[in-house]
Amino acid sequence: MKRANSRSRSDLGDDLKRLLGLAYHRLESSEDLVRRFHDFRRNHRADSDHFQKLYDWLFVPLTLWPIDIEGLLRAVLDRVASGRRLDTRMVLLVDLLPLPPSDRTQRAVSEHEHSVQHGNYESLIRARHKYDHVESQLANNPTFQEQWNAIRARFEVTKFTDHKGIIRRHLVGERSMRDHWPFRWTKTADRFHAVFDVFCQRWNLYGMRGDHPLLLKLTANLTPFGTMVFIPAYWSFDPKRDLNWRAITALHKARGVPKQGPKLGANRAAARRQRARAIKLAKEADQLKLKGERRRVWMLKQLNWDARTDERQLRRILAQSRDRI
């Protein structure tokens, strides 16, 4: 069944307030885009459905974005500003986007994002003592300190910090995919990141903040494609005690994941065939100009249903068939 997600009647103040409530400083990055869209909506109608769909996605938690929605919306607004319409490939891209997730899903994922933003996984992860123990050992490890001092002696490390003062290693993606994989030793940055990545692997770090090591944690994170559980290499993993599987399962199911199973799958397949059969029979009944009680009796007979079956059940199946067309 289709879900109403459109914010076409929202006002600017409400939209900015909603953006403020999202994690990762979304108001700072997208406030100008929201204002620009409201100006656009007052003056343009061409491709309005596609623009509205993208705008609705702008308020979806970043975790669920399959691509850079903000960048795409800026690009299509730029096209309109220059007097051009969306090209067929852009239209295809927007058409492929599903409707934004339900409000319930967005709320659950937004709460998760706020926790992740501050490195807080306590609701999903147990056995924090394992992390604390290794972190305390690392802080007092002379070999670790010697190696970090050696890096600092050869590189001006402050050049590689982000806005939070953190130096981060390169990320490893799904199935160990690495965009940065080819070895480079020409530029100073290439040399530093090669050295730093090996250093972080040696000590199980995701980075450094000043002279403080940022030890990897046992985590569970949503992505646009699924839910990832990361177990650091140093962690002696106990699946029963270390993870709050109930909370992780609830977070995963927040997307609206349906129940699955061999019997349930077979029942759903049978229901789909029955819906297809019912709608085909309804069209045949129209051609035969059957109405009222004659139509009901004829359709029940063709479906091999008991003649005493409540007509509401037949109407419900036909309504479900229309919802899925």
Side-chain angles (χ1 to χ4, degrees):
M1 184 176 294
K2 291 185 177 180
R3 182 171 60 246
N5 281 284
S6 175
R7 296 174 52 79
S8 58
R9 294 184 180 179
S10 60
D11 63 36
L12 178 60
D14 289 340
D15 286 352
L16 293 177
K17 183 177 180 180
R18 188 180 181 194
L19 206 59
L20 179 63
L22 296 174
Y24 305 127
H25 311 286
R26 295 285 301 281
L27 182 63
E28 294 178 18
S29 63
S30 298
E31 178 180 358
D32 67 308
L33 190 56
V34 170
R35 294 182 183 278
R36 188 177 173 189
F37 179 82
H38 277 263
D39 290 339
F40 158 81
R41 194 165 56 188
R42 284 194 295 268
N43 301 312
H44 297 84
R45 291 187 178 275
D47 296 319
S48 59
D49 289 343
H50 290 96
F51 278 89
Q52 185 64 52
K53 187 177 184 181
L54 281 179
Y55 187 67
D56 291 342
W57 264 95
L58 186 66
F59 297 89
V60 172
L62 276 173
T63 295
L64 300 177
W65 285 9
I67 59 171
D68 178 9
I69 298 294
E70 178 184 319
L72 175 57
L73 182 55
R74 289 186 188 280
V76 294
L77 285 174
D78 287 343
R79 289 185 68 87
V80 171
S82 64
R84 296 176 293 167
R85 292 178 61 86
L86 301 188
D87 64 44
T88 56
R89 292 171 182 172
M90 273 191 171
V91 171
L92 173 62
L93 176 58
V94 179
D95 284 342
L96 286 174
L97 276 175
L99 288 174
S102 68
D103 289 343
R104 179 181 178 183
T105 294
Q106 293 191 46
R107 284 194 299 270
V109 176
S110 182
E111 291 175 5
H112 174 65
E113 283 190 346
H114 280 290
S115 297
V116 171
Q117 182 178 3
H118 296 96
N120 181 4
Y121 293 92
E122 274 65 23
S123 64
L124 305 176
I125 307 301
R126 295 168 177 153
R128 169 65 188 254
H129 62 277
K130 295 181 180 181
Y131 170 88
D132 293 338
H133 175 68
V134 174
E135 186 183 43
S136 64
Q137 285 186 322
L138 186 59
N140 298 312
N141 188 304
T143 304
F144 163 79
Q145 195 60 56
E146 288 173 7
Q147 292 183 355
W148 177 237
N149 288 338
I151 293 174
R152 293 190 60 183
R154 290 162 178 80
F155 297 96
E156 191 174 344
V157 297
T158 55
K159 288 184 176 181
F160 305 102
T161 59
D162 63 13
H163 66 284
K164 294 182 178 180
I166 297 175
I167 306 173
R168 300 178 187 271
R169 62 169 172 79
H170 283 120
L171 296 178
V172 178
E174 299 170 73
R175 296 181 291 143
S176 294
M177 296 296 183
R178 312 186 200 192
D179 292 336
H180 59 277
W181 187 245
F183 180 76
R184 299 181 180 89
W185 198 251
T186 304
K187 300 178 180 179
T188 301
D190 295 331
R191 298 170 186 172
F192 172 77
H193 285 297
V195 169
F196 191 69
D197 284 355
V198 173
F199 173 73
C200 286
Q201 189 273 340
R202 169 66 178 79
W203 299 104
N204 298 297
L205 311 178
Y206 71 85
M208 293 285 294
R209 180 187 283 115
D211 293 326
H212 179 72
L214 300 175
L215 186 66
L216 287 165
K217 295 181 178 181
L218 178 65
T219 60
N221 284 291
L222 292 181
T223 78
F225 300 97
T227 303
M228 297 180 66
V229 174
F230 177 79
I231 307 169
Y234 70 83
W235 196 283
S236 176
F237 185 59
D238 184 335
K240 292 183 178 180
R241 294 188 176 93
D242 292 354
L243 293 173
N244 183 348
W245 286 110
R246 183 186 295 271
I248 293 172
T249 300
L251 182 64
H252 179 76
K253 288 184 176 180
R255 307 167 179 276
V257 181
K259 292 183 178 180
Q260 298 167 338
K263 185 175 181 180
L264 188 58
N267 291 340
R268 284 176 175 159
R272 286 195 297 269
R273 291 193 295 270
Q274 188 176 71
R275 287 194 296 269
R277 175 69 174 155
I279 199 166
K280 182 179 179 182
L281 289 173
K283 292 178 180 179
E284 291 181 13
D286 290 339
Q287 294 173 354
L288 294 172
K289 298 183 179 180
L290 297 177
K291 296 182 179 180
E293 183 64 12
R294 289 184 59 206
R295 180 187 180 94
R296 184 187 73 84
V297 171
W298 181 83
M299 288 193 65
L300 292 178
K301 182 177 180 181
Q302 298 300 315
L303 289 167
N304 293 320
W305 287 6
D306 191 305
R308 295 167 295 181
T309 300
D310 193 326
E311 185 179 2
R312 288 176 296 182
Q313 185 174 347
L314 182 58
R315 289 201 301 267
R316 183 164 56 250
I317 289 180
L318 291 173
Q320 291 173 344
S321 299
R322 287 191 292 270
D323 289 340
R324 286 165 171 79
I325 293 177

